[in-house]
Amino acid sequence: MRASGKKGKGGQSFGILILAAGKGTRMRSDLPKVLHPICGRPMIHYILRIANALKPAGIGVVVGHKGDEVRKCIQSSAKAWGISRPITFIKQQEPTGSGAAVLGALPFLKKFQTALVTCGDAPLITFDTLFAMLNHHRVQKGQVTILTARVRDPKGYGRILRSPVGEVLRIVEEAHASAKEAAINEVNSGTYIFEVSLLMSAVKKLTPQGAKKEFYLTDCLEHVRHEGGRAGGFLSPKSEEGYGINTRVQLAQAQRILNRRMLERLMISGVTVEDPATTYVDADVEIGQDSVILPGTILRGKTKIGKDCVIGPYAMLEDAAVGNGCTVAISSVRDSKILEKSAVGPFANIRPGTSAGPRAKIGNFSEVKASRIGYGSKVSHLSYVGDSEIAEDVNIGAGTITCNYDGKNKHKTVIGAKAFIGSNTNLVAPVRVGRGAVVGAGSTITEDVPDGNLAIARSRQVNKARR
Ligand code: UD1
Ligand code: CA
């Protein structure tokens, strides 16, 4: 289907409206519902990304409850999310229902001939389904097409009432459903395609319903039908696509499904995921071919892993860049670079601002912060390296500590290439150890060590005969 196109009345133009003004009461949260993160991205990002990919002439977002927060989040992230289409924000003053939200958005909608209306709390809908639904809508020449889903437990959803020939007659909200209607397991996903002229007249006829006196968008169908229009259902291929997130239980379910999709995408691209049930990846994680992800691994943010790596078990990487052929076992790596053929862990803590490798080793119980560990250098055991510049082929002995903090300020430690730092050394920063220098085990180094020198800074051993 030609999605975008000529603007204005009577043209082929099509716009998308995303409803996101609801209070999200059932989340019991200070954070607006659509900003709750799923796989590292706010819930609303998923539908926005798909909306953008459908190439509409415009995207409108109805915001209300904490609307400024929602708007600011979208505006500041749109570029990072790859959203290029213009977004119009429409303020809904009071959360008086999905119908009221659309009524307020009519000035935006009337620019288009056809409108896809969807919800900010539906992160599991896929591009393929909406694309197929748009085609279906066009082919059927239906005036309203509703995305439906067949679910095992229809609780909480509007039920789809069909005529014997399959036309959608009505959508009955749960609160108003008879026992027989409540037993229907085809539900409304909250996504619709309308011919705008019909939507405009139908939405103006809505009347408040239920104890909360809400205007239900779903009631539009009856008005459309009264005016001779038709409503058709488009059944989503997978029931999960119809899920709306109203509670944190549903949030966790959506997270599990999206996580599974991300992992499947990675597996299909050539990554081995040994145990998808205990592996978690955020939306934009990238992993190269023939890398193996072992159980208990969490990959967050913009983490990018190269080819032929083994990550895990029990590794947590956030905004990490890992080169080809690296291993990271039972360790945490945040906002750092691990370059080619380096090994991290087990039990290493790599804190922000670190760059290690190529061919570096950071071993068990070592913590590295805001430091550069050069080519082939090793921090194999029980060390703390902070605010340091370590050149290539340096060996940091077990138990070495860079004393970078004097209680007020942080200072730098610089170690030249091929230096050897004996075990249990304290390097009191600011301090510099020269190229090829050797520091005796157990030293406390407070002064610079020139290139090639041996520094021993500990009291000499005294052996005394015992009586
Ligand atoms: C709605 C549908 C229901 C469907 C379900 C799918 C109605 C009346 N019911 O129920 O048939 O099965 O979605 O998930 O639409 N919103 C506003 N302004 C408001 C109220 C809501 O913008 O004043 C937005 C919400 O932010 C949300 C969407 O509309 O994105 C749906 O509202 P919600 O309260 O979640 O409706 P449901 O009870 O889930
Ligand atoms: Ca909902």
Side-chain angles (χ1 to χ4, degrees):
M1 150 157 203
R2 178 157 173 213
S4 59
K6 283 177 267 167
K7 277 191 177 176
K9 293 163 197 155
Q12 286 287 304
S13 77
F14 127 86
I16 297 183
L17 185 70
I18 299 170
L19 308 184
K23 266 186 123 176
T25 316
R26 291 163 279 184
M27 292 297 280
R28 298 185 189 279
S29 177
D30 286 337
L31 185 68
K33 175 166 78 171
V34 295
L35 296 189
H36 275 259
I38 306 182
C39 293
R41 288 278 164 101
M43 188 188 297
I44 197 165
H45 140 272
Y46 294 95
I47 191 72
L48 267 173
R49 202 142 95 166
I50 292 171
N52 184 70
L54 288 166
K55 299 188 169 61
I59 299 174
V61 180
V62 183
V63 294
H65 176 69
K66 299 203 174 176
D68 286 345
E69 231 176 289
V70 176
R71 181 178 49 78
K72 279 184 192 145
C73 170
I74 293 171
Q75 279 172 335
S76 64
S77 322
K79 208 170 152 213
W81 296 344
I83 289 158
S84 51
R85 301 268 143 182
I87 298 177
T88 304
F89 291 90
I90 299 131
K91 179 98 187 165
Q92 187 186 1
Q93 296 300 347
E94 291 297 324
T96 45
S98 51
V102 170
L103 186 66
L106 288 183
F108 166 77
L109 289 171
K110 72 179 181 205
K111 290 188 272 187
F112 313 105
Q113 187 194 347
T114 308
L116 188 147
V117 179
T118 184
C119 297
D121 67 354
L124 298 177
I125 294 179
T126 62
F127 172 86
D128 288 354
T129 293
L130 291 191
F131 190 79
M133 182 183 169
L134 280 160
N135 271 327
H136 173 91
H137 178 82
R138 192 188 56 151
V139 171
Q140 294 291 313
K141 298 207 180 351
Q143 284 100 347
V144 186
T145 305
I146 302 128
L147 182 66
T148 73
R150 224 172 258 294
V151 295
R152 231 182 316 147
D153 180 10
K155 196 167 182 304
Y157 292 98
R159 312 298 204 275
I160 302 288
L161 267 62
R162 291 202 188 235
S163 75
V165 291
E167 203 180 332
V168 175
L169 300 174
R170 268 192 313 137
I171 297 174
V172 185
E173 292 305 308
E174 171 140 314
H176 309 278
S178 66
K180 201 172 153 212
E181 288 164 343
I184 295 170
N185 71 351
E186 186 182 13
V187 299
N188 171 26
S189 73
T191 297
Y192 325 78
I193 303 172
F194 292 98
E195 289 311 301
V196 173
S197 53
L198 262 168
L199 174 64
M200 285 180 69
S201 58
V203 88
K204 285 176 190 160
K205 292 188 186 124
L206 293 178
T207 50
Q209 301 293 324
K212 290 198 224 147
K213 299 257 174 281
E214 284 190 53
F215 294 84
Y216 296 160
L217 179 59
T218 45
D219 286 349
C220 276
L221 293 195
E222 283 181 86
H223 299 300
V224 166
R225 290 185 59 252
H226 279 143
E227 296 195 7
R230 280 180 302 111
F234 182 79
L235 186 66
S236 50
K238 282 194 177 152
S239 61
E240 65 192 34
E241 292 192 48
Y243 287 4
I245 312 305
N246 294 327
T247 67
R248 297 201 202 219
V249 175
Q250 291 167 326
L251 183 73
Q253 287 164 348
Q255 157 90 30
R256 191 167 47 77
I257 291 166
L258 277 171
N259 187 55
R260 191 200 66 209
R261 287 189 196 164
M262 314 285 175
L263 290 171
E264 283 173 5
R265 168 176 62 80
L266 290 167
M267 288 186 272
I268 286 162
S269 75
V271 177
T272 293
V273 179
E274 206 176 273
D275 183 17
T278 61
T279 306
Y280 302 89
V281 291
D282 276 359
D284 293 305
V285 166
E286 292 174 37
I287 308 178
Q289 193 179 313
D290 287 317
S291 282
V292 177
I293 311 299
L294 297 176
T297 296
I298 303 169
L299 305 175
R300 294 221 153 116
K302 294 189 194 74
T303 293
K304 193 170 174 184
I305 293 166
K307 292 161 79 167
D308 301 312
C309 293
V310 179
I311 309 294
Y314 307 106
M316 155 91 170
L317 283 71
E318 188 168 349
D319 297 325
V322 179
N324 297 339
C326 291
T327 62
V328 179
I330 325 184
S331 292
S332 163
V333 179
R334 278 184 297 139
D335 201 6
S336 290
K337 290 192 179 95
I338 309 296
L339 309 177
E340 231 175 75
K341 298 200 168 132
S342 295
V344 172
F347 307 107
N349 183 14
I350 314 291
R351 294 169 50 202
T354 296
S355 159
R359 292 179 189 269
K361 178 167 189 235
I362 300 168
N364 46 275
F365 310 109
S366 291
E367 174 181 343
V368 180
K369 185 215 89 174
S371 296
R372 187 178 79 82
I373 314 277
Y375 185 104
S377 291
K378 298 188 176 86
V379 187
S380 297
H381 332 268
L382 300 146
S383 292
Y384 171 67
V385 174
D387 306 305
S388 302
E389 273 289 328
I390 297 178
E392 66 271 15
D393 290 323
V394 171
N395 188 80
I396 304 284
T400 296
I401 305 293
T402 56
C403 311
N404 59 334
Y405 186 49
D406 61 12
K408 277 196 190 126
N409 298 305
K410 299 282 171 70
H411 302 283
K412 222 171 159 174
T413 300
V414 178
I415 303 178
K418 294 187 167 41
F420 182 96
I421 311 296
S423 296
N424 218 31
T425 292
N426 301 309
L427 297 158
V428 182
V431 73
R432 191 181 170 284
V433 177
R435 266 182 86 86
V438 173
V439 173
S443 292
T444 294
I445 300 296
T446 55
E447 283 160 37
D448 290 356
V449 182
D451 290 356
N453 275 215
L454 165 67
I456 304 177
R458 62 176 192 238
S459 51
R460 184 172 278 281
Q461 182 174 334
V462 182
N463 291 336
K464 292 181 180 170
R466 298 171 68 215
R467 280 208 232 149

